[in-house]
Amino acid sequence: MPACKRTRTAVASLGVLLAACGPAANMPYPVEWIGSNTLFTSFRERPKFLDPISSYNLNETPWTYGIYEPPLRYHYLARPYRLEGRTATALPQVVYLDRDGHPLSDQAESDRIAISVYTIHLKPSILFQPHPAFARDAAGRFLYQDLSPERIARCSSLADFPLQGAAVSTRELTADDYVYQIKRIASPYVSTPSRIFGLMSGYIEGLQELSERLSAQRDRDLAGRDVHDPYLPWRDLRSEPLSGARAIDSQTLQIRIKGKYPQFRFWLAMTFFVPVPWEADRFYAQKGMREQALTLNLWPVGTGPFMLAAQSATRYVMERNPNYRGEPYPSEGMPGDREQGLLDDAGKRTPFIDRVVSTLERESEPEEVKLLQGYYDVTAIERLDRAFGLQKELGDGTGRAAMLIERAMQFRTSVDPNSWYIGFNWLDPIVGKGATPAQQLRNRKLRQALSIATDWEEYAAVFHDLYGPAQTAMTPIPPGVFGYRDGRDGINPVTHAWVDGQARRRPLQDAKRLLAEAGYPNGRDEATGRPLVLYFDVNGVGPTYQARLDWQVKQMAKLGVQLELRNADYNRFQERMFKGAEQIFFWGWFADYPDPENFLFLLYGPQARVKTKGENDSNYDNPEYDELYLRMKDLPDGPQRQAVIDRMVQILRQDAIWMFGIFPGNTGAYQPWLRNAVPTSVVPDKIQYLKVEPGIRLARIGEWNRPRLWPIPWLIGGLLLRAAPAWRIWRRRESRDGRTALIWTASR
């Protein structure tokens, strides 16, 4: 390389190094956005479905619940979780009818109830976001509903359908928009999770029949068509009758449910029951739209606080919906919320932010580094309850702990409706129910002994203290859900005693006594003298999980019991569960909705995995428990329901069908300028409550990313030393060339 070129390269390198010292280094968005009223966050996986009928993944909720509005929502701060109206004025009114259509009292027995009628009154004057699907000219004609494929082929985003010339670009929400979406649950023209249709078709009157009619129509539409042609003509669901859902008037929705299903109210807070306007369905059904990536899965249409403004493979941008009415921030919460500043904005209109920028981060390390630099207000907005990596830094030797403390990073903790446990297979001859009364008693004492010996308090301290306040479980029902009891009333008397005002695990000697009474003194079969060997089935765990498995082996070894691990991939593990071939297994459950029914049904006999392929993985079968479950699920929250739950839990504790493990704690990490952040995975519409202080963020990013100037003199010195030989060579060349020119001139 010529010397002069080397010099220019060195100088350019210095310029790059100096530029990299500034606050813009590593920034995942334009620097001018820092001081704006924008929330910056990240995502790991691009959302696949934003059509509310198809979306069922947690990573899609920031967009679906920020854009769409179901009739109900969860109160942001109340615990136990409490439903309230979102677009509805209040919770639904429910009327029960017998088989002849006559009204019944609220206390009527469930077997007398043929139909439950839910009536939902909507808030007035709710508007959809501006969207080309609604665009009409001054004469009332749609601008973009009857486009040619050639016109659509020139479009790649909604910006290609300008609204400036439209006389109308929105309309008011009506009850018919909810009816239309409910019909979409049955439609084969859209992708609905089979589990949702299977469940809802068993409850919503006429939904199964509607699906059959639409499926027949779709078959006729496909007949004789090119199998490679994905286009199907739009099916206007407004003309399809559905007895289970209808609009009484523009602001009143009525849904008819077969029998009694109180848990249906929780489904009314999910995206499967948000309003979808027929205009949007028709707009995206035009031929050519799908080929241009213009679908409801990519460009949703809602009434919520935000609307999707831009998207790419690496970034999603939501902006404030200009038509949003503004809902007040909660004015009540839990004890301590006021001290944490969570009620400072009580009664103020939400949302507080104007824009949400979400950037793809494939790896956790660069994501956390950018959080520490201040470039993200919070990572993974869908999980405000997760900060595993950063929380772990507080206990390791990376040196980041001091940085987190110095920068006043906020850590908030919670325990959500999530339960981890070790289950016994009721069908197994050793740890299961047992064939005779004597064997049943022996097996129960064995399960109780193993439950006492497994020290879940130690497990939480060893494996979860860095991740949040994991809580020892005494029941299938976690905190925050009706039916959970705390303190002395909530202990499991089989495994714990109340000592000096707190729960204490019973001594190991109690477990050894029960083990001996079960016929296995010191872990050996008293009849054969052979050691007791039990088999522990786990699902696809890797090396990082080995310490937990070793811990479990150690717990059994305290009793002299040998625990053999059987690790399998997910498919083989499930196959073993379906066949009832497991003996002891580790499992967990995160509820679809925070109701005790969603946990207690996991041990309901007719849900047995082997018999019915249900969710009762233990195949537990207790007639009294099953009878109580049927009563409990139909009761409203109150003393009567609590009493039934208490008896059900008592039965489970005595039978010890589960080693009640832990309710894992959650920790959220938030920047000091982020307000109102609460660690919860149950409340999906959390973004509209968040608030940023851009001025503080701008100042902190400047402080945390100040250029390090001390290397500059060394760099300049190094460059000068490197340039000096080149300069000398250049000077010699210049002198030689000058002498040569003089000699040549003289010779002429």
Side-chain angles (χ1 to χ4, degrees):
M1 179 185 296
C4 57
K5 188 173 182 180
R6 286 198 301 268
T7 304
R8 287 196 300 268
T9 302
V11 173
S13 300
L14 175 60
V16 170
L17 289 170
L18 290 174
C21 293
N26 207 31
M27 187 178 296
Y29 45 79
V31 66
E32 59 268 18
W33 286 5
I34 295 177
S36 66
N37 187 24
T38 300
L39 176 75
F40 297 108
T41 184
S42 59
F43 65 95
R44 293 286 183 86
E45 183 181 356
R46 188 176 182 180
K48 186 177 181 181
F49 298 112
L50 297 182
D51 184 334
I53 206 66
S54 306
S55 177
Y56 201 35
N57 289 332
L58 183 65
N59 72 307
E60 295 159 352
T61 57
W63 296 279
T64 54
Y65 286 92
I67 295 169
Y68 297 112
E69 291 189 291
L72 305 182
R73 68 167 13 131
Y74 293 100
H75 190 286
Y76 186 52
L77 299 177
R79 304 293 182 272
Y81 290 97
R82 187 178 79 213
L83 286 172
E84 61 181 9
R86 187 167 181 180
T87 60
T89 58
L91 297 183
Q93 300 168 349
V94 186
V95 174
Y96 302 119
L97 305 177
D98 64 17
R99 292 174 179 81
D100 297 321
H102 299 140
L104 296 169
S105 71
D106 293 345
Q107 287 73 39
E109 294 295 330
S110 297
D111 56 3
R112 294 185 59 202
I113 298 173
I115 296 291
S116 301
V117 181
Y118 285 72
T119 302
I120 302 166
H121 298 283
L122 302 178
K123 297 173 182 176
S125 304
I126 296 177
L127 297 178
F128 282 99
Q129 68 183 69
H131 193 275
F134 304 117
R136 296 174 184 257
D137 61 19
R141 295 184 296 263
F142 283 110
L143 296 180
Y144 302 116
Q145 288 288 7
D146 296 291
L147 303 175
S148 67
E150 293 75 22
R151 168 70 172 85
I152 295 173
R154 298 194 297 270
C155 304
S156 59
S157 75
L158 295 186
D160 295 319
F161 305 93
L163 299 176
Q164 288 85 349
V168 176
S169 61
T170 185
R171 70 162 171 82
E172 187 174 351
L173 169 71
T174 70
D176 282 311
D177 297 314
Y178 284 101
V179 174
Y180 197 90
Q181 168 72 346
I182 293 172
K183 291 178 180 179
R184 295 181 80 233
I185 296 176
S187 176
Y189 292 81
V190 294
S191 175
T192 305
S194 58
R195 177 173 177 264
I196 301 305
F197 172 73
L199 179 66
M200 289 300 131
S201 62
Y203 283 110
I204 298 177
E205 185 181 70
L207 199 65
Q208 179 65 45
E209 292 77 9
L210 174 60
S211 176
E212 293 169 359
R213 293 199 309 273
L214 292 174
S215 295
Q217 178 62 48
R218 185 175 185 272
D219 292 341
R220 290 192 293 270
D221 290 341
L222 289 171
R225 298 180 63 86
D226 184 349
V227 295
H228 300 292
D229 184 2
Y231 174 72
L232 282 173
W234 176 59
R235 187 70 180 173
D236 189 351
L237 299 180
R238 291 177 297 170
S239 61
E240 295 291 341
L242 176 61
S243 61
R246 67 190 185 102
I248 303 299
D249 55 47
S250 64
Q251 302 302 120
T252 308
L253 170 68
Q254 192 175 88
I255 303 175
R256 293 168 63 90
I257 299 297
K258 300 174 188 176
K260 187 177 183 180
Y261 184 41
Q263 289 71 34
F264 181 68
R265 67 191 188 276
F266 294 106
W267 290 97
L268 293 174
M270 299 185 187
T271 56
F272 305 112
F273 291 89
V274 304
V276 169
W278 68 267
E279 296 94 334
D281 200 31
R282 181 185 177 190
F283 174 80
Y284 288 121
Q286 295 177 85
K287 188 172 185 178
M289 285 286 188
R290 182 181 299 180
E291 289 75 8
Q292 296 303 109
L294 295 168
T295 68
L296 208 56
N297 273 325
L298 294 169
W299 296 99
V301 186
T303 61
F306 298 100
M307 49 189 277
L308 191 60
Q311 61 168 288
S312 67
T314 59
R315 178 176 295 158
Y316 278 69
V317 178
M318 287 193 300
E319 293 182 352
R320 183 190 293 264
N321 174 8
N323 295 338
Y324 187 63
R325 62 201 177 277
E327 290 285 322
Y329 186 86
S331 298
E332 57 177 330
M334 296 292 291
D337 283 354
R338 190 172 300 279
E339 290 73 15
Q340 296 184 61
L342 292 174
L343 290 173
D344 290 351
D345 293 307
K348 297 179 182 178
R349 293 290 173 181
T350 62
F352 297 120
I353 54 180
D354 297 328
R355 184 190 298 119
V356 182
V357 176
S358 303
T359 304
L360 176 66
E361 293 288 354
R362 300 187 185 279
E363 303 293 337
S364 61
E365 178 63 20
E367 182 181 47
E368 292 177 7
V369 167
K370 291 171 189 174
L371 180 70
L372 291 170
Q373 289 179 285
Y375 297 148
Y376 289 136
D377 304 316
V378 61
T379 58
I381 192 67
E382 71 272 15
R383 293 307 301 263
L384 282 178
D385 59 328
R386 291 292 171 90
F388 284 176
L390 284 173
Q391 188 75 348
K392 185 178 179 181
E393 304 291 354
L394 295 174
D396 68 13
T398 65
R400 288 185 181 173
M403 182 185 297
L404 292 170
I405 296 171
E406 177 187 351
R407 296 184 176 180
M409 184 72 71
Q410 303 176 76
F411 285 100
R412 289 180 179 151
T413 59
S414 71
V415 177
D416 266 346
N418 183 8
S419 177
W420 294 3
Y421 60 90
I422 290 178
F424 298 101
N425 183 7
W426 199 241
L427 304 178
D428 185 81
I430 297 175
V431 300
K433 178 180 179 181
T436 65
Q439 189 177 11
Q440 291 171 11
L441 179 60
R442 289 183 54 181
N443 289 6
R444 183 168 68 239
K445 289 185 175 183
L446 171 60
R447 295 191 301 272
Q448 291 176 346
L450 299 177
S451 298
I452 294 172
T454 303
D455 190 346
W456 290 103
E457 288 81 6
E458 181 182 88
Y459 182 94
V462 172
F463 299 111
H464 277 267
D465 260 7
L466 295 178
Y467 305 126
Q471 182 174 328
T472 303
M474 309 275 184
T475 165
I477 303 172
V481 176
F482 181 84
Y484 172 78
R485 286 193 181 275
D486 201 357
R488 185 168 193 163
D489 293 337
I491 68 166
N492 179 359
V494 172
T495 58
H496 288 74
W498 191 255
V499 180
D500 296 331
Q502 59 182 333
R504 295 284 181 85
R505 183 167 292 276
R506 291 192 178 278
L508 188 62
Q509 193 59 39
D510 287 4
K512 291 182 177 180
R513 174 180 52 79
L514 286 168
L515 189 68
E517 293 174 2
Y520 304 101
N522 299 316
R524 290 183 174 272
D525 190 325
E526 62 184 357
T528 64
R530 296 176 180 174
L532 175 61
V533 180
L534 300 177
Y535 297 93
F536 187 42
D537 289 283
V538 291
N539 167 31
V541 298
T544 58
Y545 203 85
Q546 188 60 45
R548 303 184 188 217
L549 299 180
D550 293 341
W551 178 89
Q552 189 60 49
V553 171
K554 175 185 173 183
Q555 303 306 298
M556 300 298 98
K558 292 187 295 187
L559 297 176
V561 175
Q562 296 182 25
L563 191 67
E564 297 289 335
L565 302 177
R566 296 193 298 199
N567 188 9
D569 61 33
Y570 182 76
N571 290 334
R572 184 168 296 182
F573 177 82
Q574 287 285 41
E575 180 183 0
R576 191 174 291 163
M577 300 288 278
F578 278 119
K579 292 180 178 179
E582 81 283 5
Q583 190 173 57
I584 305 173
F585 60 94
F586 181 81
W587 210 225
W589 182 257
F590 191 95
D592 295 306
Y593 46 83
D595 187 78
E597 176 266 348
N598 208 287
F599 289 91
L600 296 175
F601 93 110
L602 296 173
L603 291 163
Y604 177 51
Q607 277 281 333
R609 175 74 72 177
V610 172
K611 287 183 180 180
T612 67
K613 297 185 179 180
E615 299 293 347
N616 180 357
D617 292 302
S618 291
N619 300 294
Y620 182 60
D621 184 14
N622 184 305
E624 183 185 0
Y625 180 90
D626 292 347
E627 181 181 350
L628 290 169
Y629 171 82
L630 293 175
R631 287 179 53 198
M632 179 278 306
K633 72 181 185 67
D634 292 339
L635 289 171
D637 291 349
Q640 186 179 1
R641 195 182 200 204
Q642 183 68 64
V644 175
I645 290 172
D646 289 344
R647 175 56 186 155
M648 294 174 70
V649 171
Q650 183 183 16
I651 293 171
L652 296 178
R653 288 168 173 168
Q654 188 65 26
D655 278 343
I657 186 60
W658 283 0
M659 296 185 201
F660 299 116
I662 62 169
F663 301 128
N666 305 312
T667 298
Y670 321 118
Q671 297 288 7
W673 57 80
L674 183 66
R675 306 292 182 233
N676 304 332
V678 175
T680 175
S681 57
V682 174
V683 180
D685 59 329
K686 55 182 76 71
I687 295 181
Q688 81 175 84
Y689 302 110
L690 300 181
K691 186 176 184 179
V692 296
E693 297 186 59
I696 298 177
R697 176 173 59 202
L698 185 62
R700 294 293 184 274
I701 287 179
E703 293 173 9
W704 298 348
N705 298 276
R706 282 176 180 162
R708 297 183 178 182
L709 301 178
W710 63 265
I712 293 178
W714 293 93
L715 289 170
I716 294 174
L719 290 172
L720 291 175
L721 288 173
R722 184 177 179 182
W727 182 80
R728 287 194 295 270
I729 293 171
W730 177 79
R731 290 293 299 168
R732 284 198 299 268
R733 182 181 298 170
E734 288 292 310
S735 298
R736 184 178 67 247
D737 291 346
R739 289 193 301 272
T740 301
L742 288 172
I743 294 170
W744 183 80
T745 302
S747 66
R748 291 191 64 185

